[in-house]
């Protein structure tokens, strides 16, 4: 009896032995495909060539709906072959954020515009998503006035900031063709996404090198944008975006290391200092000056100045010889011997206090009003001629001090529960409880003041022993 192929494949019959009847190649392939748990076509062909499928040959697998449900994956993205012929023919844009830390200027979002022809990038820092349309209008007006050209196409994603009614109407009125991405497919806006990654990667590197906090991310990103426009790009035949955009090579003579110490010229009177120590944070837009962050003033704020002296060697030397904050235990110059006298017992350790401290001590045997007040005396080693004088440490050398990298660290103190006074108070309380010794026999327990309580405890213990059958008498 030969069963129909449909009956075998759908479970309507039973396959007898190893005889397959008049199966075609496609039917045999489908049979082994199901038997082997929806194995791929390549795997079936390998097993068939090795003669492991009962001598049967397999071919191409027909469409299997269950494989689509179980194995379907996203289609690979191909490289775009569109070549723009001039600036502003195609513009890429994207909004990044919100940032975990608000910038010094209160910004949370980063908006980028990239010209596809020159790959020049512009960055804007926003406080809210709703500002995207307003900033785009300003940038469009500025860039079209400078170049005499108009924006033709705009590549954006489906973010609500780019799909508002105001934005839609403005693009329709200006004749700008928008190319949106498919939902959850940022790869279609790859130029803008990759630029965001480049900007933030280099910004993190500069913040780490300068030793600045995350609140300076906007300044670091702005500086990165300035440098990216002056860096070679393989997309434009290893030319710089600034060169392709303006037609002239970029000038690198004014570049300084981000975060290096900078001394801004000031005039504080005839006898006052002529400079304030600041941190270099980039270049001001539309002004021939440097953007500085002044930490010495009472109200920390940004300054723009052209009369600046830079100390780039502070960061360069910090890479070879890591700077140690004066007064820490790693600094051999500030490591001094200190004597601690607690309760008449002297211990010696290595420490580096900034100033010496002397507290009045209590002679041995004299009682104190509180157990938490212990005699403590901290002295620096002195010479025999000046035993009663207190020595102060020399002033900290600031020759290689870098304000950006070597700010003083937070002092770490151990918990108060580990203080010497608390440990002694605990020991005294334990000693007081040890004076009341427990009775060692039944007779002492009956004759004690708490005899009733001892009888109750003994009876409860006996009941427990009987209940658990602990002993056999």
């Amino acid at each position: 009896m030969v069963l129909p192929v449909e009956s075998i494949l759908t479970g309507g019959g039973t396959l007898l032995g190893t005889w397959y009847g008049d199966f075609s190649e496609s039917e045999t392939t489908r049979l082994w495909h199901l038997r082997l748990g929806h194995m791929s076509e390549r795997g079936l062909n390998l097993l068939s060539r090795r003669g492991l499928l009962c001598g049967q040959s397999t071919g191409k697998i027909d469409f299997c709906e269950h494989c689509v449900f179980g194995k379907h994956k996203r289609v690979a993205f191909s490289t775009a072959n569109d070549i723009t012929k001039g600036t502003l023919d195609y513009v890429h844009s994207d909004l990044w954020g919100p940032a975990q830390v608000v910038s010094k200027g209160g910004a949370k979002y980063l908006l980028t515009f990239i010209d596809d022809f020159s790959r020049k990038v512009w960055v804007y820092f926003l406080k809210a998503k709703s500002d995207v349309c307003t900033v785009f209008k300003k940038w469009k007006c500025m860039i079209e006035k400078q170049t005499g050209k108009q924006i033709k196409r705009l590549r954006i994603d489906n973010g609500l900031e780019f799909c508002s009614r105001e934005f839609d109407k403005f693009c329709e009125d200006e004749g700008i063709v928008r190319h949106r991405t498919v939902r959850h497919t940022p790869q279609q806006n790859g130029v803008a996404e990759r630029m965001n990654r480049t900007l933030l990667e280099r910004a993190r590197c500069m913040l780490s090198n300068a030793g600045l906090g995350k609140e300076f991310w906007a300044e670091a990103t702005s500086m990165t944008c300035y440098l990216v426009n002056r860096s070679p790009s393989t997309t434009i035949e290893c030319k710089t975006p600034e060169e392709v955009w303006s037609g002239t090579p970029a000038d690198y003579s004014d570049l300084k290391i981000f975060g290096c110490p900078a001394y801004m010229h000031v005039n504080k009177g005839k006898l006052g200092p002529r400079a304030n120590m600041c941190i270099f944070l980039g270049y001001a837009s539309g002004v021939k000056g440097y953007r500085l962050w002044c930490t010495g003033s009472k109200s920390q704020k940004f300054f723009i100045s052209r009369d600046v002296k830079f100390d780039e060697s502070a960061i360069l030397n910090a890479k070879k010889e890591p700077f140690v904050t004066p007064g820490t235990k790693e600094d051999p110059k500030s490591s001094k011997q200190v004597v601690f006298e607690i309760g008449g017992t002297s211990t010696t350790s290595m420490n580096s206090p900034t100033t010496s401290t002397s507290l009045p001590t209590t002679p041995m045997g004299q009682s104190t009003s509180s157990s938490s007040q212990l005699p403590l005396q901290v002295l620096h080693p002195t010479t025999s001629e000046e035993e009663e004088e207190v020595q102060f440490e020399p002033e900290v050398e600031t020759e290689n001090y870098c304000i950006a990298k070597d700010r003083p660290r937070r002092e770490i103190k151990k918990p108060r529960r580990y203080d010497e006074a608390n440990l002694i108070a605990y020991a005294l309380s334990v000693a007081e409880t040890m004076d009341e010794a427990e009775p060692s026999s039944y007779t002492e327990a009956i004759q004690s003041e708490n005899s009733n309580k001892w009888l109750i405890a003994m009876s409860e213990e006996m009941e427990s022993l009987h209940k658990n059958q602990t002993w056999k008498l």
Side-chain angles (χ1 to χ4, degrees):
M1 176 181 178
V2 180
L3 295 174
V5 175
E6 293 80 1
S7 177
I8 296 175
L9 297 182
T10 58
T14 304
L15 189 63
L16 301 177
T18 58
W19 182 65
Y20 300 94
D22 298 331
F23 283 6
S24 63
E25 185 180 77
S26 61
E27 294 169 343
T28 305
T29 301
R30 177 170 172 77
L31 175 64
W32 284 107
H33 173 67
L34 299 180
R35 280 182 171 180
L36 294 173
H38 297 269
M39 180 183 284
S40 64
E41 181 178 319
R42 181 181 179 184
L44 290 176
N45 293 334
L46 289 175
L47 296 178
S48 177
R49 285 197 296 268
R50 296 173 60 183
L52 301 177
L53 301 182
C54 302
Q56 301 296 314
S57 61
T58 59
K60 185 177 181 180
I61 301 177
D62 296 334
F63 178 80
C64 179
E65 183 181 14
H66 304 288
C67 288
V68 175
F69 287 141
K71 303 179 183 180
H72 188 51
K73 58 183 181 297
R74 304 191 68 176
V75 180
F77 293 91
S78 58
T79 304
N81 297 322
D82 298 335
I83 300 176
T84 53
K85 298 180 180 180
T87 55
L88 300 185
D89 285 352
Y90 204 99
V91 176
H92 307 263
S93 182
D94 188 35
L95 181 70
W96 175 87
Q100 297 178 351
V101 179
V102 181
S103 69
K104 285 292 184 180
K108 295 182 179 180
Y109 297 90
L110 168 67
L111 180 63
T112 56
F113 299 106
I114 304 107
D115 176 53
D116 187 79
F117 180 77
S118 63
R119 293 305 168 101
K120 185 174 182 178
V121 57
W122 293 262
V123 294
Y124 290 89
F125 303 98
L126 312 180
K127 296 182 179 180
K129 282 186 175 183
S130 57
D131 300 334
V132 170
C133 185
T134 303
V135 173
F136 175 72
K137 291 179 181 179
K138 294 180 180 180
W139 177 79
K140 176 183 177 298
C141 180
M142 180 268 298
I143 212 68
E144 291 181 349
K145 288 285 186 179
Q146 289 183 355
T147 60
K149 301 180 180 180
Q150 292 183 344
I151 300 175
K152 299 179 178 62
R153 291 173 292 174
L154 178 65
R155 165 66 72 174
I156 54 177
D157 56 19
N158 280 321
L160 297 179
E161 62 275 4
F162 294 110
C163 300
S164 62
R165 293 181 180 179
E166 182 183 3
F167 199 89
D168 292 342
K169 187 177 185 306
F170 178 77
C171 291
E172 292 177 359
D173 296 340
E174 296 295 329
I176 300 175
V177 178
R178 286 179 295 173
H179 293 173
R180 295 191 179 94
T181 61
V182 179
R183 183 172 176 265
H184 298 313
T185 313
Q187 293 86 347
Q188 292 183 338
N189 195 17
V191 175
E193 296 288 350
R194 188 63 179 86
M195 181 58 67
N196 288 347
R197 175 181 172 182
T198 300
L199 293 174
L200 294 175
E201 283 179 347
R202 296 178 66 172
R204 285 192 293 266
C205 294
M206 292 193 297
L207 288 176
S208 176
N209 186 43
L212 296 175
K214 295 180 180 179
E215 63 274 11
F216 291 96
W217 66 267
E219 286 72 28
T221 307
S222 178
M223 179 69 173
T224 302
C225 175
Y226 182 86
L227 298 175
V228 166
N229 289 332
R230 288 155 179 80
S231 303
S233 175
T234 56
T235 309
I236 51 179
E237 300 178 353
C238 293
K239 297 180 181 179
T240 63
E242 187 66 29
E243 180 181 359
V244 177
W245 177 265
S246 62
T248 57
D251 184 14
Y252 301 90
S253 59
D254 294 333
L255 292 181
K256 305 296 179 182
I257 299 178
F258 179 84
C260 70
Y263 298 86
M264 178 184 63
H265 173 75
V266 294
N267 188 357
K268 296 184 178 181
K270 294 182 178 181
L271 298 179
R274 294 301 185 187
N276 280 343
M277 191 173 183
C278 305
I279 301 175
F280 171 66
L281 294 180
Y283 308 93
S285 177
V287 181
K288 290 185 178 180
Y290 301 100
R291 187 174 174 84
L292 308 173
W293 172 255
C294 186
T295 59
S297 59
K298 295 182 180 179
S299 58
Q300 299 181 353
K301 56 183 178 180
F302 291 100
F303 290 91
I304 297 177
S305 176
R306 62 177 296 274
D307 302 318
V308 184
K309 291 289 186 180
F310 297 92
D311 183 16
E312 295 181 291
S313 61
I315 292 185
L316 293 176
N317 295 336
K319 297 181 180 178
K320 299 179 181 179
E321 299 177 1
F323 185 83
V324 180
T325 303
T328 57
K329 62 182 180 179
E330 291 84 358
D331 188 4
K333 296 181 180 180
S334 62
S335 180
K336 295 183 180 297
Q337 189 177 13
V338 181
V339 178
F340 294 90
E341 185 176 341
I342 302 177
T345 304
S346 299
T347 58
T348 304
S349 63
M350 300 300 294
N351 202 344
S352 57
T354 56
T355 58
S356 58
T357 306
S358 178
L359 300 178
T361 60
T362 304
M364 292 298 297
Q366 182 178 349
S367 61
T368 59
S369 58
S370 175
S371 60
S372 62
Q373 298 178 356
L374 292 178
L376 174 62
Q377 186 176 13
V378 183
L379 297 176
H380 285 284
T382 58
T383 60
S384 58
E385 298 178 357
E386 301 175 349
E387 294 180 356
E388 297 180 357
E389 295 183 2
V390 181
Q391 294 184 353
F392 294 91
E393 293 190 4
E395 295 182 359
V396 179
E397 298 180 0
T398 59
E399 181 179 356
N400 297 325
Y401 185 75
C402 177
I403 188 175
K405 295 181 65 64
D406 307 310
R407 290 173 289 182
R409 299 181 180 178
R410 180 176 62 87
E411 183 181 358
I412 301 177
K413 298 181 180 179
K414 63 180 180 180
R416 295 187 60 185
R417 61 177 178 273
Y418 296 118
D419 290 347
E420 189 75 18
N422 293 338
L423 294 177
I424 294 177
Y426 175 74
L428 292 175
S429 62
V430 172
E432 292 178 357
T433 58
M434 294 178 62
D435 294 339
E436 300 178 0
E438 295 182 356
S440 58
S441 63
Y442 175 80
T443 304
E444 294 180 1
I446 296 300
Q447 295 177 355
S448 64
E449 297 179 356
N450 300 323
S451 58
N452 296 332
K453 297 181 180 180
W454 283 111
L455 290 174
I456 295 174
M458 287 186 288
S459 61
E460 291 178 354
E461 184 68 20
M462 290 298 296
E463 291 179 1
S464 176
L465 295 176
H466 286 299
K467 182 178 179 180
N468 297 325
Q469 297 180 358
T470 307
W471 306 101
K472 291 183 179 180
L473 301 178

